[in-house]
Amino acid sequence: QQQVKQSPQSLIVQKGGISIINCAYENTAFDYFPWYQQFPGKGPALLIAIRPDVSEKKEGRFTISFNKSAKQFSLHIMDSQPGDSATYFCAASIYWEDDKIIFGKGTRLHILP
Amino acid sequence: DTAVSQTPKYLVTQMGNDKSIKCEQNLGHDTMYWYKQDSKKFLKIMFSYNNKELIINETVPNRFSPKSPDKAHLNLHINSLELGDSAVYFCASSQVSGSRDEQFFGPGTRLTVL
């Protein structure tokens, strides 16, 4: 059972464009939503994270939008650069439960130069 | 300085063999994890240890056994390797309970079972 659904599976964006990756979840008990970025041959690294008490969080060119009623959240990368080319994972977890973070299946993002 | 290190980076072995992957973190974190990433990049948690105690043990074959000699180390032993075990295995750590704490991942170990 996939608890966090991520789309698209792959995405190609022109340099300078906006990259948008979407995730949806079912379990309303989730209360922490991180995004991880993984470059080829490397381990994932935390990019940005949000809690459901806010609808948006911005860090530089990266923004998470969160829609609690729709149980959806998305990552927007503004002014996308070739260096942003990586695999992006959304994830969700329940703070008061065990240490488990549930990852989405990942989106391979390629920014055309 | 390497925060989370894993050895070896690549591991190629025959079916039926027993192998180990070592993980060390120098961040002073209390919690360590093992993840499996399959060929489709799907990342799934296998185990979690907090202060040398097993916290999460997902449904993995009992051929997989984590060993934590101390807080800074979490090794993964795999017995009777099977073709389906081929994947990239990531070790990770976090300061406290990882469900709301940043997890720091190692570089991964690519295991190929022939």
Side-chain angles (χ1 to χ4, degrees):
Chain A
Q1 182 184 358
Q2 189 183 347
Q3 297 193 49
V4 178
K5 293 184 179 180
Q6 183 172 348
S7 63
Q9 193 172 1
S10 62
L11 180 62
I12 299 175
V13 175
Q14 290 281 351
K15 179 182 174 181
I18 301 174
S19 303
I20 301 174
I21 303 171
N22 299 301
C23 284
Y25 62 97
E26 290 295 324
N27 190 343
T28 55
F30 284 141
D31 62 357
Y32 177 64
F33 302 90
W35 284 87
Y36 280 77
Q37 180 187 53
Q38 183 180 23
F39 292 105
K42 304 288 186 186
L46 180 66
L47 183 64
I48 187 172
I50 197 169
R51 299 180 189 178
D53 52 346
V54 296
S55 60
E56 186 175 282
K57 183 172 181 180
K58 186 175 180 179
E59 289 184 6
R61 296 184 292 110
F62 299 89
T63 300
I64 300 179
S65 297
F66 186 84
N67 186 331
K68 191 173 181 178
S69 60
K71 291 185 286 184
Q72 293 175 349
F73 58 111
S74 59
L75 176 70
H76 294 233
I77 307 175
M78 312 300 288
D79 187 26
S80 300
Q81 299 297 313
D84 297 330
S85 296
T87 299
Y88 292 82
F89 295 91
C90 64
S93 67
I94 304 171
Y95 179 62
W96 49 265
E97 272 199 356
D98 56 31
D99 293 330
K100 191 161 54 179
I101 289 181
I102 310 295
F103 284 88
K105 290 197 170 184
T107 297
R108 293 191 189 197
L109 173 65
H110 182 64
I111 307 301
L112 297 173
Chain B
D1 285 343
T2 304
V4 182
S5 60
Q6 294 178 230
T7 54
K9 189 166 175 63
Y10 300 96
L11 184 54
V12 181
T13 188
Q14 297 283 341
M15 242 178 18
N17 284 349
D18 303 337
K19 289 293 177 185
S20 295
I21 306 173
K22 294 184 177 181
C23 177
E24 177 181 2
Q25 55 96 1
N26 62 7
L27 298 166
H29 287 169
D30 288 336
T31 309
M32 295 184 73
Y33 313 80
W34 275 107
Y35 286 86
K36 180 180 180 180
Q37 187 172 47
D38 62 24
S39 59
K40 295 184 179 178
K41 290 282 196 178
F42 185 46
L43 198 61
K44 192 171 187 304
I45 192 167
M46 301 172 69
F47 301 101
S48 164
Y49 264 75
N50 182 271
N51 270 319
K52 296 172 58 182
E53 264 190 65
L54 183 63
I55 304 298
I56 296 174
N57 185 356
E58 287 296 288
T59 308
V60 298
N62 57 15
R63 299 180 294 103
F64 290 80
S65 56
K67 297 274 193 306
S68 182
D70 56 59
K71 207 171 78 165
H73 296 84
L74 182 63
N75 303 323
L76 184 65
H77 300 275
I78 315 171
N79 295 325
S80 303
L81 278 156
E82 300 177 357
L83 293 176
D85 298 333
S86 295
V88 180
Y89 292 84
F90 287 99
C91 176
S93 73
S94 62
Q95 177 68 39
V96 289
S97 165
S99 60
R100 196 179 273 188
D101 195 42
E102 178 179 0
Q103 294 191 12
F104 291 80
F105 285 78
T109 295
R110 182 174 292 277
L111 171 65
T112 303
V113 182
L114 303 174

